[in-house]
Amino acid sequence: VQHLTLNVPGSGNALIEVYDISGKQVLCKTRSFSKGTNSLKLFRGRSPEGVYFLRVIMGDEAVSEKLVAAANK
């Protein structure tokens, strides 16, 4: 599980995409956010540890972040 905090400028739905290091999309879902600080839990499931890229698209704005997923212990 990866816990993230996002600060969004307004309320509404956002598209959440996660890509692995090769560019393969491993997650795509829509989630509703409130204006301000929001928390988001991403479940890695069967995806291996490594580097991933998160992209959050809300309206005409997009934010990308690099994520490092460590082994579950």
Side-chain angles (χ1 to χ4, degrees), residues 5-48:
T5 301
L6 302 172
N7 191 11
V8 295
S11 300
N13 290 329
L15 180 64
I16 300 166
E17 301 173 331
V18 178
Y19 297 87
D20 67 14
I21 193 74
S22 71
K24 178 183 173 191
Q25 188 178 66
V26 295
L27 175 76
C28 181
K29 69 178 186 175
T30 302
R31 174 158 173 218
S32 179
F33 288 101
S34 301
K35 181 179 180 179
T37 304
N38 292 263
S39 31
L40 175 66
K41 289 183 187 177
L42 294 177
F43 295 91
R44 202 171 81 219
R46 296 177 185 220
S47 299

